[in-house]
Amino acid sequence: MTTLKTHTCGQLRSEHAGQTVTLAGWVHRRRDHGGLTFIDLRDRWGVTQVVFNPDTSAESHALGRDLRAEYVVRVKGNVRRRPPGLENPSLPTGEIEVVAQEVETLNPAKTPPFYINEDTPVDEALRLRYRYLDLRRQRMQRNIILRHEVIKFIRDFLVQEGFVEVETPILFKSTPEGARDYLVPSRVHPGNFYALPQSPQQLKQLLMVAGYERYFQIARCFRDEDQRGDRQPEFTQLDVEISFVDRDDVMDIIERLYTAIVEQVSDKELLFKPFKRLRYHEAMERFGTDRPDMRFGMELTDISDIAAECDFRVFSETVASGGLVKGFKATGCGGYSRKQIDELNALVREFGAHGLAWLALEGEAEIRSSFAKFLTDEQVQDIVNRLGSKPGDLLLFIADRPEIANESLSRLRLALGERLGLRDSNVLALCWVTDFPFVTWDEEGQRWDPSHHLFTAPMDEDIHLLDADPGRARGKQYDLVCNGYEIAGGSIRIHRRELQEKVFSLIGLTLEEARQQFGHMLEAFEFGTPPHGGIATGIDRWVMLLADEPNIREVIAFPKSQSAADLMADTPSPVSEQQLKELHLKLDL
RNA sequence: GGGCCCGUGGUGUAGAUGGAUAACAUAUCGGCCUGUCAAGCCGAAGAUCGCGGGUUCGAGUCCCGUCGGGCCCGCCA
């Protein structure tokens, strides 16, 4: 295999019996019986039991007794079928053992700060500080290798489909829209900065101008925003762009790719094949969010019309002022105590809702409710019927501005789905969300913001709305959603200068600003740009879902902490005066 | 910028209402042990309770601050 080892620790079987082999790896466990010592020797491929017997070699038996956990050792010995009854069926190599003839410690190890040989919970700060040890553990080895397999599969698949992988710069240009940029000062150009790419968006479009037609890249992207469990300052996208396509072409490629990954690389079950498709408005109506978890029901129902006419002021006044009253039934939660309902109430308040209206159907005719006393029996019955409720259900409602009602109900739905065990992590519910609004109104900035990004094309039939009623125009955008996570987003792009300039001005860029920031794009669109579109998928989130992990740090070899620090290398860290001077920088702390 | 949770031997935890030698498991070290595979048995060592201040006769426990980690809001086209 290599100079130092002839076989891996996961390789030997009974047919190797009689061979002399040399293994090398880490001491996983030691079982010292005094006269007889066993070690489990581990490498990336598995674990093999090594026996040290003084009858075979007194010298190696003596050396073997001194081995400790995580020592790196090399063992030469004879493969022997284990004596009958002593096989270990839980180990792939459990039919055999290696009888040590020679042992060499390649490097001893201090006692590790946490267990390498079992997947017990460890304080995450400690894991990150000793990430190289954490990465030795089974959980991380499994995740990192799964990640590799997914990326390998993607490359093979897309190459097969005629795609070309092209690298784009890490040092690029800061642009005004989107997330905060990571900046890199230029030594050669005093006072000027590069920005690390938030995505290779512009570059991949320029590759379409350049005629590559089918591009992809496993691209590192950078965004200087605060962390979440599913957000890191640097993360990896599968970036794809194709020429001469419409939405369905892009969606089809990605759908085939993701289906194949689930079926061939993971042990997960695909709930929808083909993937479900939802329009944005439908997603908002039924789930209150544009990234619904479709593994379970409990869909939202609008009761604004009933609420408008009732004597419960919270309901009627909300509707009168343009708000919504919506809710859903939590199946089987009719017995929830006041305390449990108060917890749900606290949850929706976090998302801006004023409160939770509830109605519990305990028995056949027994009703507990926070609001039913203000309604006629008929109105209550209408609500109960509309939600298709049965005894034992708990009906939960929010009356608020549409954004708040939808947001808080969607969160509440997820929380209840979790409690009721409806979010089976072995199931992947992939769905496309399409027909997004082209732009959304930003109250604070008093301007239109692109829903996706600056280069997304509006629907052809909605182009006329860009002047008349921009809020009603739809974009050629599509998101891929899995189990409540947005795992990809893409669009058909604008490929004509006039339309691009029109969109720039719609979102408030002056012609001057547009040409300064995006002149290279506008210019390129005048040199024969094919219609094109593409998508960017979040590799980290996708592997996280496939690996059944609660956050993306678990599928990134060297992730950063919530405060964007690397606890192992202890960075960010100060630099010398000399370095600052060369970069023409002065600190103002 | 804000809210919440966590920090106790190497590791994982216990330690209501403040009370005397800070408990348990495991790891570590030593002894015994020739068929274990989470080996077993016996013994030992190991903790300024994240750090700083305060309240108190007395603080792991209460208060304030601070550092580190996590979850979330804002933010993330």
Side-chain angles (χ1 to χ4, degrees), chain A residues 270-286:
Chain A
L270 207 51
L271 188 59
F272 304 125
K273 188 178 168 183
F275 299 170
K276 270 270 188 295
R277 290 200 181 192
L278 286 177
R279 291 195 168 82
Y280 171 84
H281 283 295
E282 190 185 353
M284 294 305 288
E285 271 172 35
R286 290 172 56 190

Side-chain angles (χ1 to χ4, degrees), chain A residues 414-548:
Chain A
L414 291 181
L416 280 167
E418 193 69 48
R419 274 178 208 218
L420 296 174
L422 302 174
R423 306 181 71 187
D424 180 354
S425 64
N426 286 315
V427 172
L428 300 176
L430 284 129
C431 65
W432 290 105
V433 181
T434 62
D435 293 45
F436 283 78
F438 184 61
V439 287
T440 49
W441 181 250
D442 173 20
E443 269 310 321
E444 271 181 42
Q446 286 292 300
R447 63 187 173 115
W448 294 103
D449 278 342
S451 300
H452 186 219
H453 60 56
L454 289 166
F455 307 104
T456 296
M459 297 273 212
D460 299 330
E461 60 270 36
D462 291 353
I463 288 180
H464 69 279
L465 290 169
L466 296 186
D467 295 314
D469 191 357
R472 283 187 51 218
R474 294 158 303 158
K476 290 184 181 173
Q477 181 194 342
Y478 31 86
D479 279 5
L480 183 60
V481 173
C482 182
N483 294 2
Y485 289 92
E486 182 194 328
I487 58 167
S491 64
I492 299 302
R493 328 295 185 186
I494 297 166
H495 68 286
R496 278 204 266 265
R497 177 168 182 145
E498 316 80 69
L499 185 56
Q500 187 67 67
E501 286 187 334
K502 190 182 186 72
V503 169
F504 282 157
S505 79
L506 174 63
I507 61 123
L509 282 179
T510 65
L511 206 59
E512 196 60 33
E513 289 167 329
R515 284 180 184 167
Q516 199 178 343
Q517 302 288 348
F518 302 107
H520 53 289
M521 297 295 289
L522 294 171
E523 193 172 35
F525 290 166
E526 295 181 309
F527 284 99
T529 299
H532 61 284
I535 195 164
T537 82
I539 299 280
D540 312 281
R541 281 182 197 171
W542 178 234
V543 176
M544 170 186 94
L545 290 169
L546 295 177
D548 238 332

